[in-house]
Amino acid sequence: IGLSVSNEEGPIGEILSILETGANDVLVCKSVEKGKADVLIPYVDEVVLSVDIEAGTMMVEWDPSSLEI
């Protein structure tokens, strides 16, 4: 929680919480775009490319418009 999340196009947001769904966890991220809904990102190997705890960053292969709440 608190990591900045980005994809190859740029920043997506900051992790606010983690939802436990049974199948896989889902990251709830506050969007960097003002007024946009939170972004949901599945926490699975196919999506999460890298996590750097020291730098406070996570790289993902995910389109922020895929799942929004």
Side-chain angles (χ1 to χ4, degrees):
I1 298 179
L3 295 179
S4 296
V5 180
S6 299
N7 64 13
E8 63 183 21
E9 296 176 14
I12 294 175
E14 180 180 323
I15 300 172
L16 297 176
S17 62
I18 301 172
L19 299 175
E20 296 179 19
T21 65
N24 57 267
D25 291 342
V26 176
L27 304 171
V28 179
C29 298
K30 179 173 177 60
S31 178
V32 294
E33 297 182 44
K34 269 204 180 286
K36 290 283 276 184
D38 291 341
V39 179
L40 302 178
I41 302 173
Y43 190 68
V44 294
D45 291 340
E46 297 82 15
V47 174
V48 178
L49 303 177
S50 65
V51 178
D52 187 336
I53 299 296
E54 289 183 20
T57 60
M58 176 183 290
M59 285 296 298
V60 296
E61 186 172 325
W62 190 252
D63 177 358
S65 64
S66 295
L67 292 173
E68 296 180 340
I69 57 172

